[in-house]
Amino acid sequence: MDDLNGTIDPRCLAEPPLAMDVISQLDVSGIAVYSILTFMATVSLLFYLEECVYVYKNVSYPKKTTIIWVNGAAPVIATMSCLGMWIPRSTMFTDMTSNSYFAVVIYKFLILMLEECGGDEAFLRYSAKKTFRISTGPCCCCCPCLPRVPITRRMLFLLKLGALQYAIMKTALSVFCIVLWTNGIFDLTDLDITGAAIWINPFIGVLTIISLWPVGIMFMHIRNTLRSIKLIPKYAMYQLVLVLSQLQSAIINILSLDGTIACSPPFSSVARGSMLSQQLMIMEMFIITLVTWTLYRRSYEPVKLEPCENENNLDAKLSLKSNLDGEYAT
C-alpha cells in the first residue's frame, strides 16, 4: 500500500488549485487556449448584451423580458464556465449558478411559446375544442396509447406549474447545498449512501424531467402554427443547451470520478474533468450564442391565430357549400 501511495503525485489527491497556481503553470499553448476561450466567452456576452438592447427597443412588454431570459442561457453558461476555468475552486458555485439560471429558462421558454401566440387568452381561443398530446418526451414518449387531454385553463395552469416548480426547487436546493457544503456535509465527489449528494442529485434529475415534459407538450401542439417565426430551430437550440449543460457535464463528471480522466498536476482527476467540461462548454455555448442571435434578431410582428370554429359553424359552412355545389351542377 505504501508503494502504491508512493507512485501517486500528492497533488492528484489535493483540492483544485488556486487561480494563481493555474496561471503560474501555464505554458505558451496553455496561455493561448485560455486566451481564446476567454475571448469566446467575452464575445458571447457582448452579443447577448447587444441583442438585449435590440429586443428591449423593438419588442413590447412582457415578451421582451421573456426573450431576454431565454437568450441568456448560452452566454450565462459560457461566462460561468470561463470563471470556473480560471478559478477551479469556484466550480461548484459556477455550475450551480448556470443550472439555476437554465432552470428558469425552461419555464421562460414555455411562456415564450404562449406569448408568441398572443398570450394565454389568445392561445385558449385558438385551441378551443382541441386537445394536447401528452405522449411526448421525456416522460411518456414510449406511451403512444395515452389519451389526449382537452386544452383548458386548468390544464394550461398545470403545464406552467410543472415547468415553474423546477425553477423554484433548483434554486432553493442550490442554496441548500451551499449551506451544507459550508458545514462539510455536501461533497459532489462523495457518492456514499450516507452522503447528501447521492440523494439530492437524483431528486433534481426527477424535477428536471418533470419540468421538461410541459415544454415538450406545448411545443408539439404549436410547432406548425409558429413555424413562421422559426420555433423549431429555437426549440432545437434550447434542447441543445440542455443536453450539453446537463448530460455532457454529467458524463464527464462520472468519467472523472471513475478515474478514466487521468490526473494532471496540479489538477486532480475530478478537477481536470471539470476543467475539460468548462472548456468544451465555452466553445459550444459560443456557437449556440451566434445561432440564437440570428434566430431572435427579427421583426416581431404578432402572429395571427384564427380561433377554432365550433361544430355548428363548420356544419353550416359544409351545408352551404354542398347546396351551392348542387345549384352549380343543375
Side-chain angles (χ1 to χ4, degrees):
M1 188 68 179
D2 293 335
D3 294 338
L4 180 61
N5 290 335
T7 62
I8 299 177
D9 193 314
R11 291 176 295 179
C12 290
L13 304 175
E15 293 182 349
L18 297 173
M20 291 306 299
D21 295 334
V22 174
I23 296 173
S24 63
Q25 297 194 28
L26 287 177
D27 54 10
V28 176
S29 60
I31 293 174
V33 170
Y34 272 58
S35 299
I36 293 173
L37 293 175
T38 303
F39 175 76
M40 286 183 174
T42 304
V43 171
S44 298
L45 189 59
L46 292 176
F47 265 84
Y48 172 61
L49 294 176
E50 189 276 336
E51 189 169 3
C52 287
V53 174
Y54 175 83
V55 171
Y56 186 81
K57 291 182 178 179
N58 294 277
V59 184
S60 60
Y61 180 85
K63 186 189 295 186
K64 61 183 176 184
T65 58
T66 307
I67 294 174
I68 289 173
W69 267 100
V70 173
N71 278 336
V76 167
I77 294 175
T79 303
M80 290 297 104
S81 297
C82 186
L83 291 176
M85 180 184 68
W86 283 103
I87 311 173
R89 293 195 180 185
S90 68
T91 299
M92 185 182 75
F93 303 99
T94 56
D95 288 348
M96 285 184 177
T97 302
S98 299
N99 293 334
S100 297
Y101 185 91
F102 189 73
V104 178
V105 169
I106 293 176
Y107 170 71
K108 288 294 184 179
F109 194 86
L110 174 64
I111 299 301
L112 178 61
M113 288 190 288
L114 290 172
E115 290 178 353
E116 291 287 11
C117 294
D120 292 0
E121 297 299 328
F123 173 77
L124 290 173
R125 287 195 302 270
Y126 164 73
S127 300
K129 308 297 183 181
K130 294 184 179 180
T131 56
F132 279 131
R133 182 166 69 88
I134 61 175
S135 56
T136 62
C139 288
C140 301
C141 54
C142 57
C143 304
C145 58
L146 289 177
R148 301 178 72 96
V149 297
I151 299 176
T152 60
R153 194 177 302 275
R154 181 175 180 273
M155 186 62 191
L156 187 59
F157 171 77
L158 291 177
L159 292 180
K160 289 183 179 180
L161 183 62
L164 181 61
Q165 54 82 24
Y166 180 55
I168 297 174
M169 292 299 297
K170 175 59 182 176
T171 304
L173 287 173
S174 295
V175 175
F176 181 61
C177 289
I178 292 174
V179 173
L180 294 180
W181 175 80
T182 58
N183 200 37
I185 299 175
F186 183 81
D187 184 3
L188 290 173
T189 61
D190 182 14
L191 299 181
D192 292 335
I193 194 66
T194 56
I198 197 66
W199 296 99
I200 294 177
N201 290 338
F203 180 63
I204 292 176
V206 173
L207 295 179
T208 305
I209 293 174
I210 294 174
S211 68
L212 294 175
W213 193 22
V215 182
I217 292 173
M218 182 62 67
F219 170 75
M220 294 300 293
H221 180 69
I222 63 173
R223 67 185 189 279
N224 293 324
T225 304
L226 299 181
R227 187 182 294 271
S228 61
I229 63 169
K230 300 179 180 179
L231 179 65
I232 294 178
K234 290 177 182 177
Y235 184 78
M237 290 298 103
Y238 149 82
Q239 289 281 358
L240 189 57
V241 173
L242 170 68
V243 171
L244 294 176
S245 64
Q246 305 296 321
L247 186 59
Q248 175 183 268
S249 299
I251 293 174
I252 293 177
N253 288 336
I254 292 172
L255 293 176
S256 62
L257 289 172
D258 187 55
T260 304
I261 298 178
C263 165
S264 178
F267 293 96
S268 65
S269 179
V270 175
R272 186 163 179 250
S274 298
M275 181 193 66
L276 294 175
S277 175
Q278 289 153 359
Q279 291 177 346
L280 286 173
M281 202 77 68
I282 292 172
M283 293 185 290
E284 294 159 351
M285 294 302 123
F286 172 72
I287 297 173
I288 292 176
T289 299
L290 298 181
V291 175
T292 54
W293 183 82
T294 60
L295 289 175
Y296 286 92
R297 191 178 178 85
R298 63 175 179 84
S299 58
Y300 283 87
E301 298 177 356
V303 179
K304 295 182 179 179
L305 300 177
E306 296 295 334
C308 181
E309 297 180 282
N310 57 40
E311 295 181 358
N312 293 333
N313 289 340
L314 289 176
D315 292 341
K317 286 187 175 182
L318 290 174
S319 177
L320 178 60
K321 184 177 183 299
S322 61
N323 291 336
L324 291 175
D325 291 341
E327 291 179 0
Y328 287 136
T330 57

